[in-house]
Structure formats: structure tokens, C-alpha cells
Amino acid sequence: MRNYSVAGLCSSAAIALAACAAAPSTPEAEAGPAGAAGTPHWETVWFDDFDGDSLDRERWAPEESCWGGGNNERQCYTDRPANIQVEDGILRLIARKETYTGPLRADQHGSEEREQPYTSGKIRTRGLADWTYGRFSARMKLPEGQGTWPAFWMMPSASIYGRWPLSGEIDIMEAVNLGTPCEDCPTGIENRTSGAAHFGDVPPDNTYLFLKIPGETPESPADEWRVYTLEWGAGEMQWLVDGEVFMRLDADDWYTGSANADGRPYAPFDQPFYLMLNLAAGGNLPEKSNEAGFDPDSFPAELLVDWVKVEQCAGDLETGLSCFDRQAWAGTPKGPWEVQAR
């Protein structure tokens, strides 16, 4: 959820999907059958179903920052119940209209501060858990409204190849302005989510690849629970919604401008990454998409998360590829040169 143009806006894009049941469920109900003994299979290595009445601080660390994510977002992320709640087995990240002053950058308390007109929640596993290769899933219900921007994404734990995006970024799910009029949507209403990978050289020579779901049915990810998944292995990534592949990339599709990548054919996506969930208020992408601008009536808004699960390929931890869901897929990822006003 970073810069969306090659020159520095944040990217996202979209997807196509099937519907999930309306009531919360356990991840076991969503998982496929376990592999036979000795057969590579996905095995859960990290999981949070948000049981209890507070965030598990051994799994997640809230971010506190007001810098706007590099996208002119309008919120401060806070570590307060007003913005991060766990209740009835559901994580709620809540964006609200309220003037708030906090640290400009995360982890820089006592230094420069900024005032913003909105607050929201962002949590991450940075410093607590990270992974190289695996299957990363979350079951979520997304907010509606012009200016809303929920995301489920991954960033590198260490900048082995250099600053963003030399070390890469993986956006498992993003959505903007759900439920608003959309000229290029088949139903005329925005009901699409997206996945993307960011890579390349330092801005303005950064780039990305993405794809949007077709959005050919009226069902909205704001009205029903859906499972958003990334399968990531050595030299390959694929994105799924409710078990259906909507985008696939391999190492021929990405690169890094870092000299540290010499002799590493899968760089930058060959290092440990951590998970994040957040709900942004405004920013370059939503405010330049759909009806354009920012609608204060979209807030308060909530990103609801039923569970988050990380699996790794037992029997093939080195590459993870033996566990991939090998569906037929004939789509074509898009790049920033194909982005049109939305």
C-alpha cells in the first residue's frame, strides 16, 4: 500500500471472486484437506482468530504514525480502542473523523509530530513474526464509501536490497471506494478488490504489476465475508479470493535495481516479509478513483477481520512450490502504464 504511480503514487488494482458465507467461520473450515504422510501439504504455522477482548500483542504490534503513508492519506494511526478493537471473535480497524496529533513516523515518539483530521488502525507482525514463502490468508469484510482504503499486505523485514521498493512490497488485498459509482465497472458500482507487487528501482523508476477482479456480479466484498490469499514460493506468486486464482507472477515478471541482487534470480521476493492490516482514510488512490475526491460521510468506517492464517509447505519448505494450487489461469497482469482514471 505504497506509491501509486511510477513517480510515486501507491498502487493497487483488482480481482475477481466468489462469495463466502455471511457468518464468521474458523480457518479450518476454509482450508483444504491435509496431505498424506510424506506428501507436501500446507501446514498452519501462525494463526490468529481474534479470540478474547483485546489485540494479542505477542502476534501484532499497532503502528502509531501520522505521516500519511507516502500517499497523502488523512489519518493518524493510533494504538487506542477507538481505532483497534477485538470483540466477539472479530478484529475491527475503525477510521474516524477526529483531529489528532501524533508522531509523524512510526517508532519515532518524541520527535516530529503532525496533526491529521482522521484516525484509524494499523497492525503488523514486524519484529514479531516474518516468513519467506508460504500461504497467507485473511477472512475479511470490507468498508464502503468514497475515500475508504483497506489493505492486507506484506513488507520486507530488512532492507536487504535497499529502500522501497528495491526490497519489494506485496499487496495481498486492497480496495478503494467500494459501493460508489464506477464507469468502467460491469455493474456500474465499484465492487472490485486488487492485488499487486511493487519492485524496480528507486522512485521515480519504481514500478508494479497488479490485477483487478472482474466485478461482473453485484455482490460486494463490503456485504459478505471473503478469504483473500497469497501463495508465495521461490520465483512465483499467485493471488486468490475464496480459493480462486485471479493473478499469477513469476520471477521473469519482477526485478530489483539493487546491486545486492547479483546472483539471486528471485530477488527481491526471496527474503522474510511481515504482515500488515490497515484502513486508510483518503489518499492518492481513492481520491483519484471512481467519483474522485473524499466524502466525509463515508466515516466512521470499519475493516472487519475474522481470522489471519500463515501456512508453509511441509515437505517443501525450501521453495514452497509443491503446495501451490495449480489452477488454470490465462489472465495478464497490468502495469502502471495501463492504469486509467477510475
Side-chain angles (χ1 to χ4, degrees), residues 10 22 24 33 37 46 49 100 121 142 166 192 219 223 234 237 283 304 314 328:
C10 187
W46 188 97
D49 64 355
Y100 188 89
L142 312 181
L166 292 169
R192 303 169 299 176
E219 291 79 17
D223 296 329
M237 292 186 282
L304 306 182

Side-chain angles (χ1 to χ4, degrees), residues 281-297:
N284 295 333
L285 182 61
E287 295 189 40
K288 294 181 179 180
S289 303
N290 305 101
E291 295 181 298
F294 181 84
D295 183 3
D297 290 339

Side-chain angles (χ1 to χ4, degrees), residues 157-283:
S157 297
S159 298
I160 300 298
Y161 299 114
R163 68 184 181 93
W164 187 89
L166 292 169
S167 293
E169 172 186 331
I170 306 171
D171 299 331
I172 303 173
M173 187 290 303
E174 292 183 281
V176 296
N177 308 330
L178 291 175
T180 65
C182 171
E183 291 185 1
D184 65 338
C185 294
T187 65
I189 298 295
E190 184 62 82
N191 63 356
R192 303 169 299 176
T193 56
S194 70
H198 292 257
F199 51 90
D201 216 324
V202 297
D205 296 321
N206 56 299
T207 190
Y208 56 88
L209 289 170
F210 74 91
L211 203 58
K212 296 181 179 181
I213 69 170
E216 295 173 344
T217 61
E219 291 79 17
S220 170
D223 296 329
E224 56 192 16
W225 294 91
R226 294 180 180 176
V227 177
Y228 302 90
T229 299
L230 169 77
E231 292 183 350
W232 168 33
E236 188 172 349
M237 292 186 282
Q238 61 181 17
W239 287 252
L240 305 88
V241 177
D242 287 343
E244 181 177 346
V245 173
F246 71 88
M247 183 169 72
R248 184 177 290 138
L249 301 177
D250 63 36
D252 290 336
D253 295 316
W254 68 69
Y255 69 95
T256 175
S258 173
N260 294 338
D262 290 350
R264 299 183 177 187
Y266 307 143
F269 301 112
D270 61 353
Q271 301 295 322
F273 276 60
Y274 63 89
L275 284 171
M276 287 185 285
L277 288 158
N278 69 281
L279 174 55

